[in-house]
Amino acid sequence: MDKAIYPVIFLLSAASLLFEVNQTRLFSVAQFYHFAFMIISMALLGYGISGTWLALFPSFGQGVPMKRLSQLSLAGGFGMLFSYLLSNWLPFDSFSIAWDFRQAVILCLHLVALASPFFFTGLATGMVLERFPEVAGKTYSYNLAGSALGCLLALGLPSRLGGEGVVVFSGMLSALAGVWAISRLKRRPPVVLGLTIVLFMLTVPDISLRLTGGEGWHLYRLNLSPYKGLSYVLRTPGAEVVYHRWNSFSRVDVVRSPNIRSLPGLSTQYRRIPPQQDGLLVDGDDLNGIIRKDSDLSFIPYLPSAVVYELRPRAEVLVLEGRGGLDVITAQAMGARRVTVVEANPLIVEAAAEVYQAQEIQVVIDTDRSYLRRAEQTFDVVVLTLTSSYHPVRSGAYSLAEDYRYTVEAFEDMLRVLNQDGFLMVARWEQSPPSESLRAFVLAVTALERSGLEPSSRLAMWRGYNLSTLLVKKTPFKPAELDQIRRFTQERSFDLSYLPGLARSETNIHNVLPQAVDYDACQALLDRQQRDKFLAEYPFDISPTSDDRPFFGHFFKWSQARELWMEMGKTWQPFGGAGYFVVLIILAVVLFLTVLLIVLPVIMQSRSRLLQVSTVRLPILLYFGLLGLAFLMVEIPLIQRFMLYLGHPAYSVSTVLFALLFFSGLGSRWGHRLPVWLVFLFLTLSLLSLPWLLPQLFVLTLKWSFWVRLVMTIIVIAPLGLCMGVPFPAGIQQLTKIHQGVLMIPWVWGINGSASVVSAVLAALLALSFGLRWVLWVGALCYVLAGVIFVLSGLRGR
């Protein structure tokens, strides 16, 4: 075997993972969070189909390997550019798919296009594994090491090239792999050489422009869904983007428009016109207003948060994620002595510099949870800023989004940094029936109870026409404080939802609802004997979220299924109002494509010798399928769990994937020295214990600096990665020792990939329904079954 093949595999793997990770970011910006899972599934489907192709057309891998690798490298590079351009210039409309069949066709085109680059790069790796099974471990190690490099590039390149530029860079990496392969050929095919030049012409000039401060070619500019907040605001007269930047985990835009006047919860008693603001948007959505310098601040006493500063004049204030700075300016204008703002995104601080550069403000660039764990100072007021725009919860558009600020453990951390007589203030949108506000309320109730405090005397909540405000104390409210809250809400036309000693007749007066639902719900949630029954019977799932199940926006219950199905296609919401079913829809789609493109070809070849072999060796196919299931059942929950630890999905995705893939590569290369049964035993015990070990680790180390936590993440994942890289090449090696086993290598490559496709979506579904720990335990079960098959079947070495 020509050792020059390994750099090709390395570069192609790096390009593929860079493209995959970056596409999850681009789809989150251009569409909604659901589509990040679709990208992962389509990447794995492409790898799976490549195995099927090699099995159906065994002659494909014959001939000069370098010639075929040069062709596949170019196909992969063009596939990356084409799939991005297709999805960008032929956008999918998730709002109209329920009644517009064309959108279903467009979605299928997107899926096929997105799978194509991974099909070509998967063919390259699968072909080398088939041709040279005796060095499967080394090949697999180069594949995983290249993938690890792609993860690191995905973390560092967006801030220099932007998200669109990273797509172009991925195509250039594939072109470099092709150049390396061509350079090793004695006779260089002119067509391949010409296409290589074309691919470089499509990538290098754009990257050069971006590196020198330009915007890159208009051809690659990202088009956002018309339903994203940025698209809406840019349609208003006079709107223009005055700030636009990418970093490793976000895109931040600032729009200047005379029509932006965003003051959530403002009392209807304020009679003046609110001041003009700039609009700050992260990932193209969730507009937050930036109060311009010298604006009229007469509206501030009419905000629902103003009473807190009347209760605590000259307060020491902590604002968690200040975004556009409304809570910061409110605290300043109401006489706060000092305001500390914790903001994880430095681009936000830069974009809203007028707010954050004031002398009385201390800005801390860190994640909320990390700061709360290490903070030694206590505060009179802690403000959990409302960072999201209003979205109907029935759309389910944000069900999959993890939010570690709204968990029981997060609320406990916030209570810890309160002064003994301080206030925690939380604002959430008022839905009908209430959902966000009640979940915040039950989170506070649970956190107080877990802290050994009786909640009924330590909570207050009131609502306007679209916003609920929750106050939490560590000590009972004093009579004078209750009187002041009553006066404030009466004067500002806010309705009390809960207050110690509140009578039902005092509620639902100004913003009148058919029933005082908020009041009744709060009373039931405070009663331990009624709470479980109330939560079970309430139309939405408002049970308290935890670090193990951090999906604050997931309110779906199966009891809603019939009603949502009847409404599907009749409401202007993502997927016709069936957003909760998106994960199931994606699962159905990937199952269909897996059967169509992998299983069906097997059936069509039923008379071939290959199927006879696979039928005899069914446990072998099951073994590699279980490995595909297990790998993603470990990868997905670890990514979601380490979002809390590292502070952002992009950091978690890149770091966890890097550690898993890099150390899996080392395991593939050197793991043959370990007994395979011992590897399976270690994986099983580790995955069973991680749900208990990780929270303890986070408690002890979340207060450490980001870079130390990054290193700690790699240290924790390294042993898992080393062992997870052993079973696949071990199985390939044993296949070469059994009769006609080599014929099965393309099939096991495809089965492993297709099982991973299903596993990626199943992991998300299990996490939503049962929590992250159950996903890890299912992964442990898959490794147990795979280990049993390895020991008992023909895969075991003689």
Side-chain angles (χ1 to χ4, degrees):
M1 175 183 172
D2 186 356
K3 293 184 178 180
I5 286 176
Y6 293 133
V8 179
I9 298 298
F10 180 84
L11 287 172
L12 279 180
S13 301
S16 297
L17 254 292
L18 174 60
F19 180 75
E20 177 185 346
V21 173
N22 187 63
Q23 281 296 98
T24 64
R25 292 287 311 119
L26 291 179
F27 266 71
S28 292
V29 174
Q31 292 281 349
F32 292 99
Y33 195 74
H34 295 113
F35 295 93
F37 289 90
M38 187 176 71
I39 297 295
I40 295 173
S41 295
M42 289 306 99
L44 296 168
L45 182 66
Y47 292 132
I49 298 171
S50 70
T52 304
W53 179 275
L54 289 171
L56 293 177
F57 305 101
S59 60
F60 183 86
Q62 304 304 313
V64 182
M66 279 299 187
K67 181 178 179 181
R68 185 65 76 188
L69 287 173
S70 67
Q71 296 167 347
L72 292 173
S73 299
L74 292 175
F78 279 112
M80 291 171 192
L81 297 183
F82 170 75
S83 63
Y84 168 73
L85 292 174
L86 176 70
S87 60
N88 197 39
W89 291 100
L90 184 63
F92 165 64
D93 185 347
S94 63
F95 278 66
S96 62
I97 190 173
W99 59 81
D100 186 353
F101 178 74
R102 292 174 300 176
Q103 296 305 319
V105 175
I106 291 173
L107 177 61
C108 290
L109 285 174
H110 283 194
L111 297 179
V112 173
L114 289 168
S116 64
F118 305 101
F119 167 69
F120 294 122
T121 56
L123 274 178
T125 304
M127 183 190 74
V128 175
L129 286 172
E130 182 186 26
R131 286 285 300 273
F132 309 104
E134 67 279 1
V135 290
K138 192 171 184 180
T139 302
Y140 199 46
S141 69
Y142 272 88
N143 169 257
L144 294 174
S147 299
L149 175 63
C151 296
L152 290 181
L153 292 174
L155 200 59
L157 286 179
S159 58
R160 292 299 308 275
L161 302 178
E164 304 96 330
V166 175
V167 174
V168 182
F169 189 88
S170 302
M172 190 185 73
L173 270 184
S174 288
L176 288 174
V179 167
W180 176 264
I182 292 171
S183 70
R184 308 298 295 184
L185 294 172
K186 294 181 180 178
R187 297 181 60 185
R188 296 165 186 173
V191 174
V192 175
L193 197 59
L195 288 174
T196 303
I197 294 172
V198 171
L199 187 54
F200 272 114
M201 290 176 63
L202 288 172
T203 56
V204 174
D206 178 84
I207 293 171
S208 300
L209 280 173
R210 295 176 189 275
L211 289 175
T212 55
E215 293 186 0
W217 289 356
H218 182 78
L219 173 70
Y220 298 119
R221 183 174 298 173
L222 183 66
N223 294 319
L224 272 63
S225 164
Y227 310 110
K228 295 299 287 275
L230 181 57
S231 300
Y232 279 124
V233 72
L234 286 177
R235 287 199 288 269
T236 61
E240 60 173 336
V241 176
V242 295
Y243 179 94
H244 168 83
R245 282 196 65 184
W246 289 82
N247 60 13
S248 58
F249 57 86
S250 69
R251 166 179 157 172
V252 175
D253 295 271
V254 175
V255 176
R256 180 154 293 166
S257 167
N259 301 300
I260 297 176
R261 303 169 191 269
S262 175
L263 300 171
L266 183 67
S267 167
T268 54
Q269 294 300 312
Y270 184 69
R271 306 301 187 187
R272 301 183 186 180
I273 298 174
Q276 293 183 5
Q277 300 166 274
D278 294 336
L280 183 146
L281 302 101
V282 179
D283 288 348
D285 213 356
D286 293 331
L287 184 145
N288 277 248
I290 302 175
I291 306 295
R292 297 178 187 173
K293 192 174 182 180
D294 301 325
S295 293
D296 176 14
L297 301 182
S298 61
F299 65 88
I300 284 180
Y302 292 84
L303 292 173
S305 58
V307 67
V308 179
Y309 303 103
E310 295 175 4
L311 293 168
R312 291 293 175 273
R314 300 291 296 163
E316 289 276 352
V317 180
L318 173 64
V319 177
L320 301 174
E321 291 201 29
R323 285 295 172 96
L326 178 60
D327 286 325
V328 178
I329 288 178
T330 299
Q332 280 186 300
M334 294 298 293
R337 183 166 63 253
R338 184 170 57 182
V339 182
T340 301
V341 186
V342 179
E343 177 55 64
N345 194 336
L347 291 186
I348 290 177
V349 177
E350 179 180 282
E354 285 188 0
V355 175
Y356 292 109
Q357 289 178 355
Q359 291 183 352
E360 303 85 358
I361 295 174
Q362 178 187 1
V363 178
V364 180
I365 304 296
D366 200 355
T367 64
D368 298 340
R369 296 291 295 276
S370 176
Y371 178 83
L372 290 170
R373 286 288 172 89
R374 74 166 191 271
E376 297 180 358
Q377 180 185 357
T378 56
F379 299 87
D380 301 307
V381 177
V382 175
V383 182
L384 183 56
T385 296
L386 178 66
T387 59
S388 61
S389 300
Y390 176 83
H391 302 283
V393 299
R394 294 179 70 84
S395 74
Y398 292 84
S399 293
L400 299 181
E402 306 86 353
D403 195 337
Y404 284 99
R405 302 186 311 147
Y406 291 96
T407 67
V408 174
E409 294 87 347
F411 274 48
E412 289 179 303
D413 287 344
M414 295 176 213
L415 290 173
R416 189 186 63 81
V417 300
L418 276 182
N419 287 335
Q420 194 62 26
D421 207 30
F423 292 100
L424 166 62
M425 181 168 58
V426 181
R428 292 304 307 181
W429 295 108
E430 185 69 16
Q431 306 273 352
S432 181
S435 52
E436 294 185 48
S437 56
L438 292 185
R439 176 162 272 173
F441 188 85
V442 76
L443 278 172
V445 169
T446 308
L448 286 167
E449 289 177 345
R450 286 177 46 160
S451 302
L453 302 172
E454 193 279 319
S456 64
S457 60
R458 294 171 168 84
L459 294 169
M461 189 163 75
W462 56 90
R463 62 176 175 85
Y465 69 94
N466 69 346
L467 194 78
S468 280
T469 303
L470 172 67
L471 277 191
V472 189
K473 288 190 69 181
K474 292 165 70 173
T475 58
F477 277 92
K478 299 170 184 176
E481 293 172 338
L482 298 177
D483 291 340
Q484 193 162 352
I485 292 173
R486 278 188 166 92
R487 282 196 303 273
F488 173 80
T489 54
Q490 177 66 30
E491 292 170 1
R492 300 293 186 253
S493 297
F494 295 126
D495 288 289
L496 288 166
S497 299
Y498 179 78
L499 206 64
L502 182 71
R504 200 174 196 276
S505 59
E506 298 180 80
T507 67
N508 204 25
I509 296 171
H510 305 287
N511 305 279
V512 180
L513 299 174
Q515 294 180 340
V517 182
D518 300 73
Y519 174 83
D520 294 337
C522 290
Q523 297 296 326
L525 291 171
L526 285 167
D527 188 333
R528 292 194 180 193
Q529 295 181 346
Q530 294 187 44
R531 188 183 307 160
D532 290 342
K533 181 182 178 183
F534 177 82
L535 290 173
E537 294 177 351
Y538 198 71
F540 291 115
D541 178 7
I542 57 169
S543 58
T545 46
S546 66
D547 286 350
D548 185 59
R549 195 166 170 252
F551 307 101
F552 182 85
H554 182 65
F555 298 96
F556 175 71
K557 280 185 173 182
W558 282 107
S559 58
Q560 299 171 257
R562 178 180 173 82
E563 184 180 356
L564 288 176
W565 180 260
M566 296 297 292
E567 291 180 358
M568 188 171 177
K570 301 176 183 177
T571 60
W572 195 249
Q573 295 173 10
F575 290 87
Y580 290 118
F581 298 133
V582 171
V583 181
L584 291 175
I585 292 170
I586 293 175
L587 178 61
V589 169
V590 299
L591 279 172
F592 170 75
L593 292 176
T594 300
V595 171
L596 178 67
L597 300 175
I598 297 176
V599 177
L600 188 59
V602 176
I603 297 173
M604 293 175 64
Q605 293 291 319
S606 59
R607 296 181 181 179
S608 70
R609 181 181 61 170
L610 182 58
L611 184 62
Q612 296 168 13
V613 172
S614 63
T615 304
V616 173
R617 302 302 187 189
L618 183 60
I620 297 173
L621 296 179
L622 185 58
Y623 170 81
F624 284 97
L626 285 167
L627 292 184
L629 284 172
F631 203 100
L632 269 291
M633 287 289 176
V634 176
E635 177 185 301
I636 297 296
L638 285 181
I639 288 173
Q640 292 176 307
R641 208 67 171 88
F642 277 92
M643 286 179 191
L644 164 63
Y645 195 57
L646 298 176
H648 197 277
Y651 289 148
S652 180
V653 169
S654 298
T655 306
V656 171
L657 283 181
F658 165 77
L660 278 179
L661 296 174
F662 178 78
F663 287 100
S664 291
L666 295 182
S668 300
R669 181 69 181 91
W670 307 108
H672 61 276
R673 303 176 181 180
L674 297 173
V676 179
W677 68 266
L678 186 61
V679 168
F680 280 116
L681 179 62
F682 174 81
L683 286 172
T684 302
L685 295 177
S686 297
L687 295 177
L688 290 175
S689 59
L690 273 179
W692 285 285
L693 295 177
L694 286 181
Q696 299 305 315
L697 173 71
F698 292 172
V699 167
L700 294 173
T701 63
L702 192 56
K703 59 187 176 183
W704 293 356
S705 69
F706 170 77
W707 292 107
V708 177
R709 282 182 278 133
L710 191 74
V711 173
M712 182 60 67
T713 301
I714 295 172
I715 291 172
V716 170
I717 294 175
L720 274 177
L722 282 168
C723 291
M724 289 169 68
V726 173
F728 186 88
I732 294 289
Q733 287 290 341
Q734 295 306 321
L735 276 180
T736 64
K737 299 177 183 179
I738 64 178
H739 180 59
Q740 294 183 322
V742 174
L743 294 176
M744 298 185 66
I745 290 178
W747 285 112
V748 302
W749 176 251
I751 291 295
N752 181 265
S754 60
S756 298
V757 175
V758 177
S759 180
V761 186
L762 273 180
L765 194 60
L766 287 172
L768 276 175
S769 302
F770 304 107
L772 301 176
R773 67 178 62 194
W774 278 97
V775 186
L776 288 171
W777 289 342
V778 171
L781 177 61
C782 290
Y783 276 123
V784 168
L785 295 175
V788 170
I789 292 173
F790 188 91
V791 172
L792 299 181
S793 73
L795 282 172
R796 187 180 182 182
R798 302 296 181 185

